[in-house]
Amino acid sequence: MASSPPPRTFHVKSFGCQMNVYDGERMAELLTAEGMRAADDGAAADLVVLNTCHIREKATEKVYSDIGRIVKDGREVGAVPLIAVAGCVAQAEGEEIMTRAPSVRVVVGPQAYHRLPAMVAQAAAGGRATETDMPAEAKFAALPKRRKVGASAFLTVQEGCDKFCTYCVVPYTRGAELSRPFADLVSEARLLVEGGAREITLLGQNVNAWAGEDEKGRRVGLAGLAEELGKIEQLARIRYTTSHPADMDDALIEAHGSNPKLMPFLHLPVQSGSDRVLKAMNRSHTAESYLRILERVRAMRPDIALSGDFIVGFPGETEAEFAETLQIIAEARYAQAFSFKFSARPGTPAATMDGQIAAEVMDERLQRLQAALQRDSLAFNKASVGKRCHVLVERKGRHAGQWLGKSPWLQSVHFTGDAAMGDLVEVDLIEAGPNSMGGRLVARAAA
């Protein structure tokens, strides 16, 4: 394969979860450190990195669709960019990606992307490069220090999963659970705050499984880490996602009542309201034990906003079992949630289970489930009207003088007035929609 000039510009496109967003940001920092410049879109870039997700079948197919579009657009302007596929699809399919899409020159998994610059150089010299090892600790040690960020920043604290839910590819694409060291996380958080972050969201496949030793050698969990980060003066808000019910320990539940910087929001996936289905999924909780966790968290923080994940149409799910899922939704009263039809992922036990549900049945159930979730989301927002809260300003709105930001309960809030990105402003919530709130600016807080 002919060599080409080293790429001078790059574009990273991330699919899927917030951890992929974090990984995409770190890849961009790696490439910037090599003297490359970020382009606004792939059409203007010498290098396009597709940072992929493997959770859903359509997400995987979208990657190949994007590769085809990049090649087509490049041919139209006379220069196809160097294409790299990163993330979980890269980990799962490896060199098969290059067989299916020969235009791809680099394939790198989520635990090896610290090697991306060297792999790009190898590809530019006329070769191909594939790396799907899983040395997670080596990856973080090799990444550059954090630079300027926005008002809200992600910080990966934990990777991998040992739960082996029968529908999920994460243990195979991200590896075993690994917690990053306490001191490294505190150091990175300080750099994020120095770079402008007022809010940090702690990330992990099972973020509340994080554990480590503090500066005094004491064993601490996520609550202890959040307590230490709360000591950073300019850090105003702390969030975390995604949690597993099995790892909601007493200290973390209590932290929702004792840590003033820990926001009143909890994303805790349940997946189903049927105990039989949960057992078939290899989820360690029952509907009852899950609801008891929510009760305990609400006792600590009565105004907490709850979020969850749901899968409809898991193999063997009956109409009665689906009704149990609707029941748990009614009891939990979610402020927001994510819901999906079951997607059979190759290599997972659920993909070959008996009782696969017809697509039209899954479609109909998903519509009913989403209607219930939207009902409760709107109810939560309507109940917020009349509250006065701080909103973290993240960007400009569509209209002149309009700003968009997040409430403590992770609601999108739009308002007009004197503000700037990164401000914490006091706002009265005056209008509720299904997906956002309207606010009236009360005061602009000091920086």
Side-chain angles (χ1 to χ4, degrees), residues 28 31 40 46 84 95 99 163 184-185 205 207 226 238 265 271 273 283 345 356 363 376 378 404 427 435 444:
L31 297 172
D40 291 336
D46 301 325
E95 292 186 356
T99 300
K163 303 298 191 287
D184 291 358
L185 296 171
Q205 262 82 38
V207 67
I238 300 169
F265 184 89
Q271 306 300 0
R283 302 286 287 180
R345 309 313 297 133
Q356 300 288 322
D363 287 340
D376 292 347
L378 181 58
L404 297 177
V427 170
N435 301 308
R444 181 174 176 178

Side-chain angles (χ1 to χ4, degrees), residues 53-60 311 340-343 345:
C53 173
H54 197 55
I55 295 296
R56 315 297 303 169
E57 182 179 4
K58 288 184 179 179
T60 304
I311 295 173
F340 311 92
K341 293 180 290 186
F342 170 73
S343 177
R345 309 313 297 133

Side-chain angles (χ1 to χ4, degrees), residues 13 34 55 152-153 174 179 258 300 338 371 435:
K13 182 176 182 179
E34 294 294 314
I55 295 296
S152 183
R174 289 275 185 171
S179 294
S258 62
M300 289 293 168
F338 302 93
N435 301 308

Side-chain angles (χ1 to χ4, degrees), residues 51-392:
N51 186 28
T52 62
C53 173
H54 197 55
I55 295 296
R56 315 297 303 169
E57 182 179 4
K58 288 184 179 179
T60 304
E61 292 306 311
K62 182 172 174 56
V63 174
Y64 289 104
S65 175
D66 268 24
I67 292 169
R69 180 188 53 77
I70 292 166
V71 172
K72 177 179 178 293
D73 291 348
R75 286 173 179 163
E76 288 180 354
V77 299
V80 176
L82 193 157
I83 302 173
V85 176
C88 291
V89 172
Q91 185 69 37
E93 301 196 11
E95 292 186 356
E96 178 63 25
I97 293 173
M98 294 179 178
T99 300
R100 183 171 172 180
S103 53
V104 174
R105 305 273 291 281
V106 173
V107 174
V108 59
Q111 305 296 13
Y113 65 72
H114 58 294
R115 299 173 184 166
L116 180 61
M119 298 173 73
V120 168
Q122 181 180 337
R128 294 180 184 272
T130 303
E131 182 61 81
T132 54
D133 287 346
M134 290 193 176
E137 289 182 286
K139 174 184 73 175
F140 287 111
L143 294 174
K145 289 185 177 181
R146 304 307 303 271
R147 300 188 179 188
K148 184 174 177 61
V149 297
S152 183
F154 294 133
L155 173 56
T156 291
V157 304
Q158 179 273 342
E159 288 198 306
C161 183
D162 297 339
K163 303 298 191 287
F164 287 93
C165 297
T166 56
Y167 53 81
C168 186
V169 298
V170 167
Y172 313 103
T173 59
R174 289 275 185 171
E177 289 183 359
L178 174 90
S179 294
R180 295 181 60 194
F182 179 93
D184 291 358
L185 296 171
V186 174
S187 176
E188 186 171 335
R190 291 188 182 280
L191 288 172
L192 289 169
V193 173
E194 289 171 10
R198 304 296 306 279
E199 173 183 276
I200 290 178
T201 300
L202 309 178
L203 301 180
Q205 262 82 38
N206 291 315
V207 67
N208 54 339
W210 182 89
E213 292 186 351
D214 66 13
E215 72 284 352
K216 295 182 179 179
R218 296 172 299 193
R219 189 74 173 168
V220 294
L222 192 67
L225 176 62
E227 181 181 2
E228 183 67 22
L229 297 186
K231 298 175 184 177
I232 302 174
E233 186 176 352
Q234 292 301 313
L235 179 62
R237 294 177 165 187
I238 300 169
R239 302 184 188 274
Y240 63 93
T241 195
T242 291
S243 302
H244 193 288
D247 297 313
M248 284 298 297
D249 62 21
D250 293 345
L252 186 55
I253 292 172
E254 291 166 5
H256 279 281
S258 62
N259 187 338
K261 293 189 178 182
L262 188 60
M263 290 296 96
F265 184 89
L266 174 63
H267 180 65
L268 192 65
V270 62
Q271 306 300 0
S272 174
S274 161
D275 287 349
R276 189 205 66 79
V277 172
L278 289 170
K279 185 175 181 180
M281 290 177 166
N282 199 34
R283 302 286 287 180
S284 56
H285 55 274
T286 64
E288 179 67 18
S289 68
Y290 176 84
L291 288 171
R292 297 294 78 78
I293 293 171
L294 300 190
E295 282 184 1
R296 293 182 61 200
V297 175
R298 276 197 168 112
M300 289 293 168
R301 189 68 194 253
D303 68 332
I304 197 157
L306 297 174
S307 173
D309 287 350
F310 292 89
I311 295 173
V312 301
F314 188 82
E317 181 189 66
T318 65
E319 179 61 27
E321 288 166 342
F322 174 69
E324 291 180 296
T325 297
L326 295 179
Q327 179 59 34
I328 204 171
I329 287 172
E331 294 187 43
R333 308 186 310 279
Y334 293 100
Q336 58 178 258
F338 302 93
S339 54
F340 311 92
K341 293 180 290 186
F342 170 73
S343 177
R345 309 313 297 133
T348 61
T352 56
M353 284 182 178
D354 293 336
Q356 300 288 322
I357 305 297
E360 59 270 20
V361 174
M362 287 197 286
D363 287 340
E364 190 273 338
R365 288 179 183 172
L366 184 64
Q367 289 178 25
R368 281 191 281 157
L369 182 138
Q370 290 181 339
L373 293 172
Q374 290 166 5
R375 171 202 67 206
D376 292 347
S377 176
L378 181 58
F380 183 89
N381 285 348
K382 285 183 175 180
S384 299
V385 172
K387 289 183 178 180
R388 178 171 292 184
C389 66
H390 284 100
V391 169
L392 179 61

Side-chain angles (χ1 to χ4, degrees), residues 10 26-38 147:
F10 70 89
R26 302 313 309 267
M27 283 186 263
E29 291 168 356
L30 281 165
L31 297 172
T32 300
E34 294 294 314
M36 298 176 63
R37 178 174 52 84
R147 300 188 179 188

